[in-house]
RNA sequence: GCGAGCGUGGCGGAACGGCAUACGCGCCGGGUUUAGGUCCCGGUCCCUUCGGGGGUGAGGGUUCGACUCCCUCCGCUCGCACCA
């Protein structure tokens, strides 16, 4: 039966043969090697001197054991099409692919199988390289490092040391080498450097570093013997794997001082060609808000509680204060007993509800202790699940409101977070929803200090009511009221002016100041894992960190046999034992760091997976450099003068915040220290959509293998059973895996590429439909048939020029496809190429299609479907690859038309059409148009004629 | 709750404020073929008295003219979430 199929038809078999042949040839000819101007990777640079460098980058993949599914390569194909297009525009294009290969899945797989993660990781990388190569992606194969290569992570460690050996000079607003700080401290008399001992000096310097050690709360799961990421903790505060309890507990951790860069990370977004939504997500994450800090004295104590508020104008309405449960001052201010009758005022009798939800009778210390314990066991998710049910406990202490000297009770409540602001608030229940709810719960005073508009009160049916009778807090703008003391009055001022007035007053009294606060926290940088970069840090007998010299890099991961985290006692007092502690010969090291041989203890934590992905794009530029993380010539050539270096960065929106923020931060540190030439790493960011595939569930809600489901009678069935369809992430868990290998087998790589590019705009998520691939497959078949005789394999082209209409279509197509390629509108580019090919099918004679149309069509197709394009180009008589052939340029002469068909509208509705010479003047067009729609104009007066040259004419009749 | 984005045929999707549904899938009809498949040609938003009328989530507005701009609402998706 297959005898019927012509021998030279473009089918999957022929596609696969062509694709394998061209992939081999590209490899052999180093087609995608992009030369550096100098150095080891400069082969062929002399031919590229006139070519402008373009750096196209994908977010590099994690080499997973299951390999690629058809959703993965969407962005990779998009960048490849763009990169190939730019090569055909005469650019020197750097496009490469590395692997983000450290990380938890490899380690967990190692635990299960007993194989070393390096072994499985390398096997996974080999498989993914095979799949990516089979897609025809034009990567420079010399430039694909894995973050796990010691030759790579040597420089990750080196960058860590750069950050460690730097401090942030807020006056100069940039990072500087730590040596400059030491010079400054030595001469700073206030510091008293000469009187400090070695430990004090080092601790002082360490407190300025951009990488520093501190006690930070982490998700500690003793039963699993490891710290978990927030994503690995379930809503009820247990581990996702195993369902064991997870405790928040402070551990000594490495931190990165990203907060020093908060303003620059925010402001420099303006320099970047990124989508507004991603910029907004970064802005929200950084969370800059302006306001004031206000100091409240604690009654009968020396302590001062500083709060941050964005509404200092409401200070006269502050009727109580709240500290976060973890606030360090809590213990200091709690009195021995509940305030008693000797106070002789409204707080004579502390209400029972204030003493805590556990009915504590042991005095305030006990009530607070119990409440803090209760709060500590709640996960963040639990806290938010409980929503607006406010809980808290009175500390027994009072503060003094600096504007009116009123004593206000201090509470501890978990609706105030230690991680934001100062971990303490002044509560203004009249003008803050949360404070309002808490005040209602605990029957605290509610004093209005901003006058709501009359409508606001009327809508709530409480005209002229005092704030204590409002049904909710008034958070809008209004004039200040009830806000005056002997010294200052805000009454009648608008919010803005009131803020300025009270802030100035506070500053004058030394009780506060204008402040900017950020949501952004410093970056927790250590992990209790095996499969990550070791820190280039040791500890001496003072237990203080010491950076290893560059000559000792890389600090290689020691080999261990057992990766299983140590299971320790399941209680909150247990301490994690990092897997590296098991490499006993490695945990200590004898070194001579300049003061004779000594034994040092190694840092046993490893870096997070983000570390390797923070700078991989820089290593692509100079991957074989053993002297530097990147040579300045290569760096400057590819990254240019800025503001951002990478010309196009494509990846998923899931990295909108963390990766893109961390990488920007590292880049800025490197910029400040003079190691890179642009202030930003990624000039243009493009987020590709996600491909979703149909998944099917049976009546029990269990997923059934998607390949077994058939559609019939308007429903979906697995065997006889009806199943429900939904669309979701492709993968094993939804049993809807579709791999590139499946598609290669049935259609070839070019059809897969073309299909993924044609299914919709690159930035939109879209459903996968294997059935639809046949559309682009048929297009390639028709193109092939237009050029190659299916029976004999002979070339079928005629040298006579195409007819005028075809030629006009060709040049219009060239102009539009060029535009589409530049803006990554690949879906419409494909449709236009199909249209042109359909025209070619019509005009082809027995001898074939005209060469003057076929050749530009093949060239335009080349970025999208490079294998078939190369093959046709070769059969058309060209010896070299079309990789650097010029992308066609439209001839303006053929973009003009002789005649234009005008739609003729009457009152905006199309009533007729007239064809007139292009560029005709209005009177000519109007005369023809009037005749055409005469029946509509009869008896009506034309009030106005809208004439858009060469587009349309519209009669407005009345 | 706050913020952002998106709603167009049976499906994926086109459309500088100017002829809505390009291109593809599917479907219908025809041709080639012993037949099926492949391939080729034609058709395919709805209503219609065949003149035309209606139509881009719903309603309103701006405009000679609105899928496109503005307002209200509905629905879906994403991000953040007690952020003081």
């Amino acid at each position: 039966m297959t005898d019927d199929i012509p021998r030279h038809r473009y089918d999957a078999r022929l596609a696969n043969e062509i694709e394998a042949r061209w992939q081999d040839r590209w490899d052999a000819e180093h087609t995608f090697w992009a030369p550096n101007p100098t150095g080891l990777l400069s082969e062929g640079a002399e031919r590229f001197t006139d070519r402008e460098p373009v750096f196209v980058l994908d977010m590099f993949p994690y080499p997973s054991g299951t390999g690629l599914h058809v959703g993965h390569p969407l962005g990779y194909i998009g960048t490849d099409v763009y990169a190939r297009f730019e090569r055909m525009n005469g650019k020197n294009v750097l496009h490469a692919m590395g692997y983000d290969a450290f990380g938890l899945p490899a380690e967990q797989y190692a635990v299960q199988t007993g194989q070393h993660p390096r072994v499985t990781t390398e096997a996974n990388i080999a498989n993914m390289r095979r799949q990516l190569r089979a897609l025809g992606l034009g990567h420079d194969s010399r430039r694909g490092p894995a973050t796990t290569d010691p030759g790579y992570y040597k420089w990750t460690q080196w960058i860590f040391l750069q950050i460690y050996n730097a401090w942030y000079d807020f006056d100069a607003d940039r990072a500087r080498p730590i040596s400059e700080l030491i010079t400054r401290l030595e001469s700073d008399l206030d510091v008293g450097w000469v009187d400090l001992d070695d430990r004090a000096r080092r601790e002082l310097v360490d407190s300025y570093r951009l990488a520093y050690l501190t006690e930070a709360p982490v998700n500690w799961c003793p039963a699993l013997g490891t710290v978990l990421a927030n994503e690995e903790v379930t809503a009820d505060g247990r581990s996702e794997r195993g369902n064991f309890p997870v405790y928040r507990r402070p551990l000594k951790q490495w931190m990165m001082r990203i907060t020093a860069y908060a303003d620059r990370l925010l402001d420099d977004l303006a320099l970047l060609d990124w989508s507004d939504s991603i910029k907004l997500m970064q802005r929200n994450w950084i969370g800059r808000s302006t306001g004031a800090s206000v100091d409240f004295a604690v009654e009968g104590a020396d302590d001062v509680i500083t709060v941050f508020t964005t509404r200092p104008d409401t200070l006269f309405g502050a009727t109580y204060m709240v500290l976060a449960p973890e606030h360090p001052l809590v213990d200091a201010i709690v009195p021995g007993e509940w305030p008693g009758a000797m106070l002789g005022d409204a707080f004579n009798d502390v209400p029972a509800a204030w003493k805590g939800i556990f009915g504590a009778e042991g005095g305030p210390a006990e009530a607070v202790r119990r409440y803090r314990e209760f709060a500590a066991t709640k996960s963040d998710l639990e806290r938010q699940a409980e929503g607006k049910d406010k809980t808290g406990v009175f500390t027994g202490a009072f503060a003094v409101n600096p504007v009116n000297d009123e004593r206000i009770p201090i509470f501890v409540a978990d609706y105030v977070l230690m991680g934001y602001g100062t971990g303490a608030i002044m509560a203004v229940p009249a003008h803050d929803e949360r404070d309002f709810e808490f005040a209602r719960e605990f029957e605290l005073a509610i004093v209005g200090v901003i006058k709501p508009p009359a409508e606001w009160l009327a809508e709530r049916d409480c005209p002229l009511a005092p704030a204590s009778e409002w049904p909710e807090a008034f958070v809008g703008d209004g004039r200040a009221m009830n806000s005056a003391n002997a010294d200052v009055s805000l009454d009648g001022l608008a919010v803005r002016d009131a803020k300025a007035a009270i802030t100035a007053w506070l500053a004058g009294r030394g009780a506060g100041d204008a402040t900017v606060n950020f949501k952004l926290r410093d970056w927790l940088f250590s992990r209790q894992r095996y499969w990550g970069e070791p820190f280039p840090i040791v500890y001496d007998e003072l237990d203080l960190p010491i950076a290893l010299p560059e000559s000792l890099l890389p600090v290689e991961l020691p080999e261990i046999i057992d990766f299983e985290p140590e299971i320790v006692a399941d209680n909150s007092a247990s301490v994690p034992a990092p897997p590296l502690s098991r490499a006993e010969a490695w945990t200590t090291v004898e070194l001579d760091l300049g003061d004779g041989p000594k034994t040092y203890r190694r840092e046993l934590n490893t870096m997070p997976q983000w570390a390797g992905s923070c700078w991989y794009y820089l290593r692509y530029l100079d991957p074989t450099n053993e002297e530097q993380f990147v040579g300045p010539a290569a760096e400057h050539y590819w990254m240019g003068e800025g503001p951002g270096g990478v010309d196009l960065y494509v990846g998923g929106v899931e990295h909108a915040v963390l990766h893109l923020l961390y990488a920007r931060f590292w880049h800025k540190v490197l910029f400040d220290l003079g190691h890179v030439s642009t202030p930003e790493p990624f000039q243009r960011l493009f987020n590709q959509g996600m491909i979703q595939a149909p998944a099917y569930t049976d009546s029990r809600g269990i997923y059934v293998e998607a390949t077994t489901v058939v559609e019939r009678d308007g429903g979906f069935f697995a065997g006889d059973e009806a199943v429900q369809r939904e669309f979701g992430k492709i993968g094993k868990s939804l049993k809807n895996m579709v791999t590139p290998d499946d598609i290669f087998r049935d259609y070839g790589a070019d059809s897969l590429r073309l299909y993924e590019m044609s299914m919709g705009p690159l930035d939109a998520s879209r459903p996968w439909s294997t059935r639809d691939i046949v559309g682009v497959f048929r297009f390639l078949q028709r193109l092939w048939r237009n050029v190659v005789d299916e029976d004999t394999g002979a070339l079928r082209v005629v040298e006579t020029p195409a007819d005028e209409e075809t030629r006009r279509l060709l040049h219009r197509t060239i102009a539009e496809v060029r535009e589409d390629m530049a803006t990554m509108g690949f879906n419409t580019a494909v449709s236009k190429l199909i249209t042109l090919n359909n025209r070619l099918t019509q005009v082809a004679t027995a001898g074939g299609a005209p060469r003057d149309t076929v050749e530009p069509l093949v060239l335009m197709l080349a970025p999208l479907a490079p294998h078939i394009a190369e093959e046709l180009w070769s059969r058309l008589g060209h010896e070299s690859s079309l990789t650097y052939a010029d992308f066609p340029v439209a001839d303006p002469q053929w973009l003009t038309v002789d005649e234009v068909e005008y739609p003729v509208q009457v009152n905006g509705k199309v009533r007729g059409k007239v064809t007139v010479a292009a560029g005709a003047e209005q009177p000519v067009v109007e005369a023809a148009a009037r005749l055409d729609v005469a029946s509509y104009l009869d008896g009506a007066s034309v009030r106005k004629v809208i004439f858009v040259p060469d587009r349309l004419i519209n009669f407005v009749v009345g």
Side-chain angles (χ1 to χ4, degrees), chain A residues 721-789:
Chain A
E721 194 190 358
V723 291
Q724 288 277 325
R725 183 175 68 169
E726 62 187 67
F727 282 85
K729 212 169 174 171
I730 300 175
K732 282 195 292 191
S733 58
L734 301 193
K735 293 189 182 166
N736 61 352
M737 195 75 174
V738 187
T739 70
D741 303 84
D742 300 333
I743 309 303
F744 296 156
R745 187 187 63 236
D746 295 340
Y747 300 98
D750 279 335
S751 288
L752 174 61
R753 293 171 59 107
L754 214 43
Y755 172 63
E756 296 215 358
M757 292 301 97
S758 71
M759 54 202 291
L762 193 58
D763 55 0
S765 291
R766 68 298 285 285
W768 176 264
S769 172
T770 301
R771 187 176 73 179
D772 291 2
I773 298 173
V774 73
V776 290
F777 182 62
R778 283 177 190 152
F779 158 55
L780 294 182
Q781 259 179 349
R782 278 196 293 268
L783 171 65
W784 181 264
R785 196 159 41 233
N786 282 335
V787 185
V788 177
D789 187 303

Side-chain angles (χ1 to χ4, degrees), chain A residues 453-524:
Chain A
E455 313 86 75
W456 188 88
L457 291 167
E459 277 167 25
R460 282 152 191 80
D461 203 25
C462 55
L464 303 176
S468 57
E469 288 169 30
W470 293 348
E472 60 188 277
F474 172 68
V475 296
D477 278 2
R479 301 276 168 184
M481 62 180 185
N482 303 329
S483 296
N485 61 27
D487 228 22
V488 65
S489 172
L490 309 179
D491 290 341
L493 293 180
V495 168
R496 234 184 111 144
D497 299 332
K499 282 181 182 176
I502 194 68
T503 305
W505 184 82
L506 286 166
R509 312 235 320 175
D513 221 332
T515 307
V516 176
N517 190 60
F518 293 93
K519 215 160 91 184
L520 184 69
R521 303 285 90 191
D522 276 345
W523 173 17
L524 176 72

Side-chain angles (χ1 to χ4, degrees), chain A residues 22 50 117 188 236 282 431 495 516 530 594 750 805 834 867 941:
Chain A
W22 280 98
D50 296 335
D188 187 335
D236 52 355
Q282 292 227 341
H431 303 292
V495 168
V516 176
Y530 172 69
D750 279 335
E805 198 180 326
I834 292 175
H867 311 88
S941 66

